[in-house]
Amino acid sequence: MCGITGWVSFHQDARANTPVIEAMTATLTPRGPDASGIWLGAHAAIGHRRLAVIDLDGGTQPMTDRSRQTVLSYSGEIYNHHELRAELRGRGHEFRTRSDTEVVLRAYAEWGRDMATHLDGMFAFAVWDEHEQRLLLVRDRLGVKPLYWAAVDGGLAFGSEPKALFAHPEITPRVDADGLREAYSLLFNTGPTVWSGIHEIPPGGLLTLGREGITERLYWELEARPSYDDQESYNDRDAAVERVRALVDRAARTQLEADVPRCSLLSGGLDSTVLTALLADELRLREGPDARIRSYAVDYSDQAEQFTGDVLRTGHDTPFAAEAGAFIGTDHSTVVLDPHTLLDPGHRQAVVVARDSPIGVGDMDTSLYLLFGEIRRHSTVALSGEAADEVFGGYPWFHNPKALAASTFPWLLVTGDEAAMPLHPDLAAKLRIGEFRDDTYRDALAAVPHADGEDAVEHRQREMQHLSLTRWLRQLLHRKDRLSMAQGLEVRVPYCDHRLVEYAFNTPWALKSYDGREKSLLRAVGTGLAPESVLWRPKNHSPATHHPDYNRGLQEMARDALAAHGGQVRDLADETRIKPCLDTPPEELEWGHRLRLERVVDLALWLDHYRPALTL
C-alpha cells in the first residue's frame, strides 16, 4: 500500500516547482515509509510514497512507460495481476518486474480508460499520459482506497489524503457551512468533503482531465440484476451457500499474497473467524501443515478484569477470539491496552491528523491506531473481516421492525442525537441538518436499484443493504485505511470483493436470513471452520473501555477543549448541552454522552492542527 499525489496544470511548467511536489509527497510518508519518488514533466508533477509489499526490489514508483509516454502512481493491490499479466503477455506486452504496479501500467497501454473494469482489487491510482496530455484518476469499486482532488490554476491536484493537497500553494484548509453539514450530519455522502473545494473520487469512479476540461463517470455500481450463470443459487439454499463459500474462499486465497509478513485481525466474531480459518487453511496448503498465521485481537485492561456492556456491546470478545485462535490453530495474541494510554494527547492528535477530520469514535479510534502500531512491529499486511455485516445483513437495523419502518438512515437510530456533538444553536439553525438529512434520505432511496417483482419485504431490505454498502461502509473503510496507513500497515478486506458483493446484493432476503438470524449464509459457510460458540454468538461491536479514570480524563480534556482557541470551539458547539456530560460522575457516564465529549476534544485538536479558515 502506498500514498499517491501530484498535480497537472496546463498554465504552468511543473518542472519549475520541484519543492511543491516534494512537499506534497512528504505528507504521505506514513502511508509509504519504504521509498519515495517524483516525476516532473512540462505540465504534470507526480509523487509517490511506497509501502513495499509485492516485488520489493522491482515495484518502485512513479513507474513510467517511455515508449508510450505514460507515468503511473498507484496505491493498492491487484489480486488478479497474475491472470492479467498472462493475458497482456499474450497481447504482446513485455514485463520487467513481478509487481502488480507494472500490470496496471500495461493495462492502461492496452485498454486505456476502460482498464479499470479488468482490475480486481483495492486501488487508487493516477496515470499521466504525456502524449495525450491527459490525467486519469481511478478508484476501486467499493472505495477501499481513498483518492481526493481539488482544482488549481489550469488543472487539478490530487492525493491519497487531503493533507497532501494542502501542501500545494493554491490549496488551503477552508471549511464552510456545507462542509460542516457534511461532517456532522453523519450521512457519509461520497463526493463532497468537510473541506471546501476538495472532492472525493467516488467508489467505482473515474475522472479524466484534459485540455478540454474535467469529465467524471462511474465504471461500476451496484445493480439489481442476478447473473444468468448464478440463477440457480438465487433460489436454492444449498446452492447459495456453496456459491458464497466459493466466493469468500476465492477472495481470501487471492488476498493472502505478499512478499512480507501477513496476519489476520481476529476479534472473536463470525466474520473474522471464518476469514481467519480460510486464510490459515490456504497458508498451510502453500507452506506446509505446520504453517501458522498470526492473529490479533485488542482489549482493555479494565474489560479483561471485568467486562462492562453498553448499548452496542453485549459480550466480551477476548475469550471468543482466544477460543477461535486455538480452534483454527493460529499464533494468536491479544493486545491489551491501558485505558490511561488512550488519554495521551500525542495519540489523540495522531488519530485526528490521520483522519483529516473532526469526526471519529473516540477511544475506539485511538485503540485501533495503537493496535495497528503493535501489529506493525511484526507484520506489514493484515486481513480484516470488514464489510461482512453490510454484505450479509448483520446489523440490527436489518432485523428491527422500528428501523425498517423509519424514514431515515438506520444508523441514526442506534444512539440518536445522544452521541452527536450538539452544535451551537446559531450554527444549527444555519446548517438545518434535519432538513438536509430528510432530503438526502429521499435522494439515497431514489438511487437504489430494484428488480422487477420484488415484494415489500425484499424491496425494503434491498434499500437497507444499498444504504449500508454505499454509505455506512464508506466511513468504516475510511477509518480502517487512515488509522492503519498512519502506522504503515496495509489492511485488506476480502468481504469487499466485488463479485461477492454483487452476488449477495442480489440474493433474496429469505436466503440471507433463512435461519431467522443475521448473516445466515456466512454462518453456514463457517460451519466446521469456527467454534459453535462463535458461530451463534450475537453481533458485537468494537470493544470500548469503561474505566472511570478514562471518563474522568476525557471530561477534563473536554473542559480544556471548550476553553481553547479563544472560544472557537464554543462558537461551534452547544456548551449548555455538553455541560451535563461534564458534570456526570465518571462512573455513570453513558457511552453516547461520552462520545459527545470525544467529538468536542477531537474538534479542538482538529482546529489546532489545521487552523482552517471558517467561512460560516
Side-chain angles (χ1 to χ4, degrees), residues 18-334:
T18 301
V20 174
I21 189 61
E22 289 178 338
M24 295 174 71
T25 304
T27 66
L28 301 175
T29 298
R31 296 188 73 92
D34 295 330
S36 177
I38 62 171
W39 180 93
L40 288 164
H43 298 296
I46 309 294
H48 187 267
R49 289 292 319 192
R50 188 183 186 206
L51 177 65
V53 172
I54 294 176
D55 191 3
L56 307 188
D57 297 325
T60 56
Q61 297 187 53
M63 186 173 285
T64 60
D65 183 339
R66 293 182 180 178
S67 65
R68 294 176 174 86
Q69 296 182 286
T70 53
V71 184
L72 170 69
S73 187
Y74 155 75
S75 170
E77 302 293 344
I78 303 301
Y79 303 125
N80 65 332
H81 72 98
H82 294 297
E83 296 90 336
L84 284 176
R85 184 186 300 267
E87 180 178 356
L88 289 164
R89 275 186 172 140
R91 293 171 177 262
H93 294 269
E94 297 180 354
F95 290 84
R96 63 181 187 271
T97 74
R98 295 188 298 107
S99 70
D100 57 337
T101 303
E102 190 175 9
V103 172
V104 176
L105 188 63
R106 305 301 175 199
Y108 176 78
E110 180 65 31
W111 295 300
R113 282 176 282 190
D114 294 329
M115 64 183 294
T117 60
H118 296 265
L119 307 178
D120 295 345
M122 57 179 190
F123 49 82
F125 59 84
V127 178
W128 169 246
D129 190 320
E130 183 78 5
H131 176 71
E132 297 289 338
Q133 292 286 282
R134 182 174 66 203
L135 175 72
L136 180 67
L137 301 178
V138 183
R139 193 175 179 202
D140 66 71
R141 294 169 179 84
L142 273 294
V144 181
K145 292 292 104 184
L147 187 54
Y148 298 86
W149 67 277
V152 297
D153 180 38
L156 64 80
F158 63 89
S160 294
E161 299 178 8
K163 58 176 63 69
L165 302 180
F166 297 145
H168 191 285
E170 295 181 38
I171 304 171
T172 57
R174 292 185 296 112
V175 178
D176 56 22
D178 289 338
L180 287 183
R181 189 181 294 112
E182 288 291 340
Y184 286 103
S185 64
L186 305 179
L187 304 186
F188 315 118
N189 288 313
T190 297
T193 71
V194 65
W195 302 107
S196 178
I198 292 182
H199 315 277
E200 184 179 15
I201 302 289
L206 183 154
L207 180 149
T208 304
L209 169 71
R211 290 185 178 276
E212 69 280 4
I214 293 172
T215 60
E216 296 181 83
R217 67 177 175 88
L218 295 178
Y219 67 88
W220 181 88
E221 56 187 327
L222 281 170
E223 297 180 344
R225 184 173 54 82
S227 68
Y228 181 81
D229 291 341
D230 292 328
Q231 196 61 49
E232 178 185 358
S233 67
Y234 285 109
N235 300 295
D236 179 85
R237 179 192 302 176
D238 292 339
V241 171
E242 286 306 310
R243 181 63 175 148
V244 168
R245 180 179 287 112
L247 288 167
V248 174
D249 182 65
R250 177 187 178 278
R253 284 188 292 103
T254 58
Q255 297 193 30
L256 190 60
E257 181 183 5
D259 295 334
V260 292
R262 300 142 298 184
C263 69
S264 177
L265 305 180
L266 180 60
S267 69
L270 175 65
D271 316 338
S272 63
T273 301
V274 171
L275 175 61
T276 301
L278 292 172
L279 295 170
D281 286 346
E282 178 65 18
L283 192 64
R284 284 189 283 263
L285 283 173
R286 295 184 186 185
E287 300 182 7
D290 295 330
R292 302 174 72 194
I293 192 169
R294 285 181 177 268
S295 62
Y296 290 91
V298 67
D299 200 2
Y300 303 93
S301 57
D302 60 307
Q303 299 295 290
E305 296 164 0
Q306 184 176 1
F307 174 75
T308 305
D310 58 32
V311 66
L312 297 178
R313 301 162 190 88
T314 59
H316 188 203
D317 277 342
T318 296
F320 291 96
E323 183 184 2
F327 183 90
I328 297 167
T330 72
D331 181 4
H332 186 69
S333 300
T334 299

